[in-house]
Amino acid sequence: MTIQNRAKASKTASIQLAALDAETKNKALEAIALKFEARKAEIIAANREDCARSEAEKLDAPLLKRLRFEDEKLSEVIEGIRSLIKLPEPVGQTRLATQLDNGLDLYRVTCPIGVIGVIFESRPDALVQISSLCLKSGNCVLLKGGSEAASTNRILAEIISEATVAAGIPDGWIQLIETRADVNEMLKLSDDIDLLIPRGSNDFVKYIMDNSSIPVLGHADGVCHIYLHEDADAAKALPILVDAKTQYVAACNTMETLLVHESVAAQQLPEIKAALEAKNVELVGCAKTREVLQIGEATEKDWRTEYVDYKLSIKVVSSLEEAIVHINTYGSGHTDAILTEDEAAAKTFMALVDSANVFWNCSTRFSDGFRYGFGAEVGISTSKIHARGPVGLDGLMIYKYKLIGHGQTVGEFSSGKLSYTHAPLDRDCPL
Amino acid sequence: MTIQNRAKASKTASIQLAALDAETKNKALEAIALKFEARKAEIIAANREDCARSEAEKLDAPLLKRLRFEDEKLSEVIEGIRSLIKLPEPVGQTRLATQLDNGLDLYRVTCPIGVIGVIFESRPDALVQISSLCLKSGNCVLLKGGSEAASTNRILAEIISEATVAAGIPDGWIQLIETRADVNEMLKLSDDIDLLIPRGSNDFVKYIMDNSSIPVLGHADGVCHIYLHEDADAAKALPILVDAKTQYVAACNTMETLLVHESVAAQQLPEIKAALEAKNVELVGCAKTREVLQIGEATEKDWRTEYVDYKLSIKVVSSLEEAIVHINTYGSGHTDAILTEDEAAAKTFMALVDSANVFWNCSTRFSDGFRYGFGAEVGISTSKIHARGPVGLDGLMIYKYKLIGHGQTVGEFSSGKLSYTHAPLDRDCPL
């Protein structure tokens, strides 16, 4: 089947899937979990094939680590599916109810978006997370994973499809796309695909945006900042900075630039340097930083760089305002934190920093769907519309307006015979 | 100033505007209303200039009618602004509050999107509606109106800018763009413009989507349907059909295709034809329709056409399912209605028709921001993400996550020393 025909099949399936009840979807999710347990040996064998091939092809060690999918990862994704089952049904929730007139009632009711195209990196657990979130939210999904994980992705998608279709989910709701050429085909299918979620670098997300008229929810770079205000509590700050930089350097929510108020630079930077260097972090800084620390020079490019590595750029600023302007200029709108004991400064920072996640006195690493309590995430959106920050079930929903009348016409209102009451209704949509 | 510099200025203003309090914004809205009253003669003179020029250029009568902006229209927009002032403040509303741990509180708080580019047709009242909605929601706006309304738009934008900046709104928050070349420049500014709202034909909206990587909220064609089910109450149906087709043919929410169940076609179509022909509606139909009525043939193209005129296509279908498939195939996802006395049929229709607005036993013409009680609208979205259907203040908002801690690090949770509570909080974000 061509990608176009497969997307059309998804579109058709999406109409039926959107109308399915919670029980059927939850039973299908449980069927996936059971099939994963039953076919564990096959999954692990497929993954070992991927790992052996990738090792022979000299894939980087961190990527190899992300590719590995054995007992522990499998248990984690099964646990993830079962916690998703317990979350409330997202489809069919009444979000607004207004009486337009006696016997003319308007409801805004949540519904799935439709068909979602997701392009993700090598981690096979992302495939399971994304497809189970899509199923729970009633969306069809076209998935393209990394080629390193081809065998693992194939068996996972096959199991998910078989288990769910047997449980009553429309055939074609999940489809795996395997080649780059197919991805390029997919980008053209704006009639049948409603949303693209690319997970990767800024350049990759920009490529998708530039080459498709389908709406894009961008999971792009995280150039995250922590700003150390003049009154920051040093004892609180140090563990936060070490955590934000080193707890997991490959994540998009790690700190890449530290901003320090000039009044505390001389006093606090040496201790910060010692703590970070003890964790093998390379530091580069602005001229004022280098008056205090003997480190390399940070260039203009550094301020825009997501290192995802043991490296940090440091800039001394003369005010809260300068810190905010720096973040809004060089940041990626992902996650930025202020460390201060001054509530007014925190309030200003959180109001004026134009990022999806703005934190006060805690690590940027908290920016994550699981940690936020969303059960799972399809990614962290740096877009300014639809869904921002960690995207869980909510971000995969839209709504439709249902208007229930008894023969009303607009003419009767325009002529003045009837007039709108616009009274809030305290009830859910009856259908 | 180049468009790029003007967009940059807007971006800068947007940070300040996002943090402004409700009182300042409402005072600025009142200042617009007062200035409109004070400078009424100038506005009307500018509009007469536009009308005279357009008449000389032989602009179509319906467009000329929409262009006219005198006493009555001015009073309407002033009234619109004052009703907007009364609506609750949309910025800073807490939509989710979760305790992640003792002393680590997460809030999802509404905020403006940022800078919005709106391209709209000749109606000058659209300029006032859109810019006042943007101001109330804390968004900056770049506006491009129709060239027919150039003088009217210029004076309206000038008054709005002067009145609001004097009332404390950051300079540059509203900017008028006048040439097509400037629009093409604007489409490239994805760093500084967060959302485009084009109002026009499907082809126009598609052009914008194909030529910009900025997210687009499409206000496109309305190919709206009414489906007359086998048990529809004829006495209720007839006024609805006449209203949906003829109450205002130039609107996007008028009925363009009527679907009729085959079991009632022979009985009801003649009466429907008589009622619509009395209003000068031209009918075309499928083969089965033409067995009952002597009318022209509807081609494949008719099913996809938004006539915005006194014309209607009619198709006889053999089931509710066929009606739903027809609508999902040929419709534009705008507004579709079912006329039936059977609640189960209505429920199926409303669940399976994939449109922004699905109606039961009332006219498609109700699909409108004012009629829905939203105060005003920037357009009716046929997009499947962010905002769907009539878009008022809600559709101009996004949110940010605010996380307030006391020194917490992720490492303490990963190591098992602490664990997430994920308990809902019953309070608004304190900052």
Side-chain angles (χ1 to χ4, degrees), chain A residues 11-25:
Chain A
K11 189 75 185 179
T12 305
S14 76
I15 302 295
Q16 302 301 326
L17 179 50
L20 275 190
D21 56 295
E23 200 190 339
T24 306
K25 290 186 289 183

PDB file of all heavy atoms in Angstrom, chain A residues 11-25:
ATOM      1  N   LYS A  11      -7.366   7.707   8.197  1.00  0.00           N
ATOM      2  CA  LYS A  11      -8.399   8.735   8.309  1.00  0.00           C
ATOM      3  C   LYS A  11      -9.768   8.069   8.504  1.00  0.00           C
ATOM      4  O   LYS A  11     -10.561   8.490   9.351  1.00  0.00           O
ATOM      5  CB  LYS A  11      -8.390   9.599   7.042  1.00  0.00           C
ATOM      6  CG  LYS A  11      -9.276  10.829   7.128  1.00  0.00           C
ATOM      7  CD  LYS A  11      -8.610  11.866   7.995  1.00  0.00           C
ATOM      8  CE  LYS A  11      -9.448  13.081   8.258  1.00  0.00           C
ATOM      9  NZ  LYS A  11      -8.740  14.031   9.123  1.00  0.00           N
ATOM     10  N   THR A  12     -10.023   7.036   7.713  1.00  0.00           N
ATOM     11  CA  THR A  12     -11.297   6.313   7.837  1.00  0.00           C
ATOM     12  C   THR A  12     -11.413   5.669   9.213  1.00  0.00           C
ATOM     13  O   THR A  12     -12.449   5.783   9.878  1.00  0.00           O
ATOM     14  CB  THR A  12     -11.394   5.235   6.726  1.00  0.00           C
ATOM     15  OG1 THR A  12     -11.212   5.896   5.469  1.00  0.00           O
ATOM     16  CG2 THR A  12     -12.730   4.529   6.756  1.00  0.00           C
ATOM     17  N   ALA A  13     -10.335   5.020   9.651  1.00  0.00           N
ATOM     18  CA  ALA A  13     -10.349   4.394  10.980  1.00  0.00           C
ATOM     19  C   ALA A  13     -10.557   5.434  12.074  1.00  0.00           C
ATOM     20  O   ALA A  13     -11.197   5.163  13.090  1.00  0.00           O
ATOM     21  CB  ALA A  13      -9.033   3.636  11.203  1.00  0.00           C
ATOM     22  N   SER A  14     -10.025   6.647  11.847  1.00  0.00           N
ATOM     23  CA  SER A  14     -10.064   7.675  12.901  1.00  0.00           C
ATOM     24  C   SER A  14     -11.495   8.080  13.250  1.00  0.00           C
ATOM     25  O   SER A  14     -11.786   8.438  14.390  1.00  0.00           O
ATOM     26  CB  SER A  14      -9.245   8.900  12.496  1.00  0.00           C
ATOM     27  OG  SER A  14      -9.928   9.693  11.551  1.00  0.00           O
ATOM     28  N   ILE A  15     -12.374   8.037  12.261  1.00  0.00           N
ATOM     29  CA  ILE A  15     -13.776   8.414  12.514  1.00  0.00           C
ATOM     30  C   ILE A  15     -14.415   7.408  13.478  1.00  0.00           C
ATOM     31  O   ILE A  15     -15.122   7.785  14.424  1.00  0.00           O
ATOM     32  CB  ILE A  15     -14.575   8.450  11.185  1.00  0.00           C
ATOM     33  CG1 ILE A  15     -13.944   9.443  10.191  1.00  0.00           C
ATOM     34  CG2 ILE A  15     -16.041   8.774  11.433  1.00  0.00           C
ATOM     35  CD1 ILE A  15     -13.986  10.885  10.607  1.00  0.00           C
ATOM     36  N   GLN A  16     -14.160   6.111  13.246  1.00  0.00           N
ATOM     37  CA  GLN A  16     -14.717   5.076  14.120  1.00  0.00           C
ATOM     38  C   GLN A  16     -14.053   5.113  15.499  1.00  0.00           C
ATOM     39  O   GLN A  16     -14.715   5.004  16.531  1.00  0.00           O
ATOM     40  CB  GLN A  16     -14.498   3.683  13.491  1.00  0.00           C
ATOM     41  CG  GLN A  16     -15.104   3.528  12.098  1.00  0.00           C
ATOM     42  CD  GLN A  16     -16.603   3.761  12.063  1.00  0.00           C
ATOM     43  OE1 GLN A  16     -17.314   3.437  13.010  1.00  0.00           O
ATOM     44  NE2 GLN A  16     -17.095   4.351  10.978  1.00  0.00           N
ATOM     45  N   LEU A  17     -12.731   5.276  15.494  1.00  0.00           N
ATOM     46  CA  LEU A  17     -11.993   5.265  16.760  1.00  0.00           C
ATOM     47  C   LEU A  17     -12.424   6.426  17.661  1.00  0.00           C
ATOM     48  O   LEU A  17     -12.525   6.276  18.881  1.00  0.00           O
ATOM     49  CB  LEU A  17     -10.477   5.340  16.469  1.00  0.00           C
ATOM     50  CG  LEU A  17      -9.516   5.363  17.649  1.00  0.00           C
ATOM     51  CD1 LEU A  17      -9.796   4.250  18.650  1.00  0.00           C
ATOM     52  CD2 LEU A  17      -8.057   5.278  17.169  1.00  0.00           C
ATOM     53  N   ALA A  18     -12.730   7.556  17.034  1.00  0.00           N
ATOM     54  CA  ALA A  18     -13.143   8.737  17.803  1.00  0.00           C
ATOM     55  C   ALA A  18     -14.421   8.471  18.583  1.00  0.00           C
ATOM     56  O   ALA A  18     -14.666   9.083  19.624  1.00  0.00           O
ATOM     57  CB  ALA A  18     -13.339   9.927  16.863  1.00  0.00           C
ATOM     58  N   ALA A  19     -15.259   7.560  18.055  1.00  0.00           N
ATOM     59  CA  ALA A  19     -16.560   7.321  18.686  1.00  0.00           C
ATOM     60  C   ALA A  19     -16.550   6.123  19.623  1.00  0.00           C
ATOM     61  O   ALA A  19     -17.574   5.789  20.219  1.00  0.00           O
ATOM     62  CB  ALA A  19     -17.618   7.127  17.590  1.00  0.00           C
ATOM     63  N   LEU A  20     -15.390   5.474  19.790  1.00  0.00           N
ATOM     64  CA  LEU A  20     -15.328   4.292  20.670  1.00  0.00           C
ATOM     65  C   LEU A  20     -15.411   4.665  22.146  1.00  0.00           C
ATOM     66  O   LEU A  20     -14.912   5.695  22.569  1.00  0.00           O
ATOM     67  CB  LEU A  20     -14.038   3.511  20.411  1.00  0.00           C
ATOM     68  CG  LEU A  20     -14.058   2.501  19.262  1.00  0.00           C
ATOM     69  CD1 LEU A  20     -12.800   1.645  19.308  1.00  0.00           C
ATOM     70  CD2 LEU A  20     -15.291   1.609  19.323  1.00  0.00           C
ATOM     71  N   ASP A  21     -16.024   3.764  22.927  1.00  0.00           N
ATOM     72  CA  ASP A  21     -16.171   4.005  24.359  1.00  0.00           C
ATOM     73  C   ASP A  21     -14.876   3.718  25.121  1.00  0.00           C
ATOM     74  O   ASP A  21     -13.984   3.028  24.636  1.00  0.00           O
ATOM     75  CB  ASP A  21     -17.286   3.111  24.908  1.00  0.00           C
ATOM     76  CG  ASP A  21     -17.009   1.653  24.605  1.00  0.00           C
ATOM     77  OD1 ASP A  21     -17.005   1.272  23.409  1.00  0.00           O
ATOM     78  OD2 ASP A  21     -16.782   0.891  25.550  1.00  0.00           O
ATOM     79  N   ALA A  22     -14.798   4.249  26.336  1.00  0.00           N
ATOM     80  CA  ALA A  22     -13.606   4.109  27.180  1.00  0.00           C
ATOM     81  C   ALA A  22     -13.280   2.647  27.445  1.00  0.00           C
ATOM     82  O   ALA A  22     -12.110   2.251  27.415  1.00  0.00           O
ATOM     83  CB  ALA A  22     -13.832   4.842  28.505  1.00  0.00           C
ATOM     84  N   GLU A  23     -14.310   1.830  27.687  1.00  0.00           N
ATOM     85  CA  GLU A  23     -14.084   0.437  28.058  1.00  0.00           C
ATOM     86  C   GLU A  23     -13.346  -0.320  26.961  1.00  0.00           C
ATOM     87  O   GLU A  23     -12.389  -1.046  27.229  1.00  0.00           O
ATOM     88  CB  GLU A  23     -15.435  -0.224  28.358  1.00  0.00           C
ATOM     89  CG  GLU A  23     -15.298  -1.476  29.189  1.00  0.00           C
ATOM     90  CD  GLU A  23     -16.606  -2.254  29.271  1.00  0.00           C
ATOM     91  OE1 GLU A  23     -17.682  -1.669  29.048  1.00  0.00           O
ATOM     92  OE2 GLU A  23     -16.519  -3.470  29.536  1.00  0.00           O
ATOM     93  N   THR A  24     -13.792  -0.153  25.716  1.00  0.00           N
ATOM     94  CA  THR A  24     -13.143  -0.850  24.597  1.00  0.00           C
ATOM     95  C   THR A  24     -11.679  -0.422  24.482  1.00  0.00           C
ATOM     96  O   THR A  24     -10.793  -1.261  24.290  1.00  0.00           O
ATOM     97  CB  THR A  24     -13.896  -0.534  23.279  1.00  0.00           C
ATOM     98  OG1 THR A  24     -15.274  -0.858  23.458  1.00  0.00           O
ATOM     99  CG2 THR A  24     -13.321  -1.330  22.119  1.00  0.00           C
ATOM    100  N   LYS A  25     -11.433   0.883  24.618  1.00  0.00           N
ATOM    101  CA  LYS A  25     -10.053   1.368  24.486  1.00  0.00           C
ATOM    102  C   LYS A  25      -9.179   0.834  25.620  1.00  0.00           C
ATOM    103  O   LYS A  25      -8.036   0.419  25.395  1.00  0.00           O
ATOM    104  CB  LYS A  25     -10.033   2.903  24.437  1.00  0.00           C
ATOM    105  CG  LYS A  25     -10.631   3.453  23.138  1.00  0.00           C
ATOM    106  CD  LYS A  25     -10.483   4.967  23.015  1.00  0.00           C
ATOM    107  CE  LYS A  25     -11.410   5.666  23.997  1.00  0.00           C
ATOM    108  NZ  LYS A  25     -11.342   7.143  23.862  1.00  0.00           N
TER     109      LYS A  25
END
